Structures are given as C-alpha cells and as structure tokens.
Amino acid sequence: MNVEELRDYCLSLPKSREGMPFSSFFRNSRAILVFYNENKMFCLFDIERFDSCTIKCSPDEIPELKERYSAVGPPFNLSHKHWIKISFNDDMSDQTLLSLIYKSYLLVSQSKKIRDKR
C-alpha cells in the first residue's frame, strides 16, 4: 500500500476529512497528515516517511495486537492506553491494517455519540 491508497481509503469513510494540524508545532511534524471523523482523530501518518500510521484502538484489544504482530507498537506522543502505531511492511497484511483503521474510525464515532448523550 502506498500513501495515496491509504489516504483514499481514509477519505472514503463517511464524514471523514484530512488536515495537517501540527505544521506549526515543530519542524518534524509538518508532514503529519491526520484523518478525522467529524472533529475526532482516527488515523495519522507522516507523508514524507510513510513507514507507519497511528490509530485509535480499544484498550482491551491493544495487548493482543502487540502479542500477535511485531508491527504494533506504542504511539509517538499520544496515549499508550488508547493509541497504537502500526509499522508498514512488517507482519500485518494491508487488509488487517485497513480493518483496524475502520475500527478506529468507528471507535471515535462511538465516543462522540456517548458524549452527545450526556
């Protein structure tokens, strides 16, 4: 999978949009592309390096994913309880990666619905 294929997939999800909100923070973050479901992040990656992506994940699922795939590791600068980094070209298939991105998209949708009900 290449950067355009992953970008197209993320943007194909309903109400998703992209942005580069970290461009003014520090030099290394200028190329971080973030995908949102409404206003909640669900996937981000560096478009220049394109060696991994970071996604939201259920805390219950993280230990199992880390045990099963060497591609799964801790995210950079996000909560280790709710986010994972997935390295590309490792032991995870593109189909599994896309499935986890979709779960991330749904997870932020559910958190928004729960918050709206309060």
Side-chain angles (χ1 to χ4, degrees):
M1 180 174 342
N2 64 41
V3 67
E4 285 301 320
E5 291 169 332
L6 185 53
R7 179 180 176 267
D8 289 346
Y9 175 76
C10 290
L11 289 175
S12 74
L13 302 172
K15 297 183 184 179
S16 67
R17 65 179 180 83
E18 65 185 346
M20 297 183 92
F22 306 118
S23 60
S24 63
F25 284 97
F26 52 93
R27 188 169 43 98
N28 293 344
S29 66
R30 289 188 179 123
I32 305 297
L33 183 60
V34 178
F35 295 91
Y36 301 89
N37 179 349
E38 296 193 15
N39 291 323
K40 306 263 302 171
M41 294 190 312
F42 69 91
C43 180
L44 56 134
F45 56 83
D46 185 322
I47 60 174
E48 291 177 355
R49 290 183 24 207
F50 197 66
D51 59 350
S52 65
C53 69
T54 301
I55 61 170
K56 189 139 191 179
C57 191
S58 167
D60 298 335
E61 195 174 2
I62 292 173
E64 179 185 332
L65 288 170
K66 284 182 175 180
E67 186 176 312
R68 184 167 183 194
Y69 300 103
S70 64
V72 176
F76 172 74
N77 218 17
L78 290 170
S79 168
H80 291 217
K81 182 177 179 182
H82 297 283
W83 292 86
I84 57 173
K85 178 181 89 171
I86 301 173
S87 297
F88 302 141
N89 302 317
D90 202 326
D91 61 343
M92 182 180 288
S93 71
D94 288 351
Q95 191 60 36
T96 301
L97 171 64
L98 295 178
S99 174
L100 289 171
I101 291 171
Y102 184 67
K103 284 182 178 181
S104 176
Y105 168 85
L106 293 176
L107 194 60
V108 300
S109 291
Q110 292 167 350
S111 68
K112 183 186 180 326
K113 288 177 186 175
I114 290 168
R115 210 176 46 253
D116 288 346
K117 288 181 182 180
R118 291 183 193 167

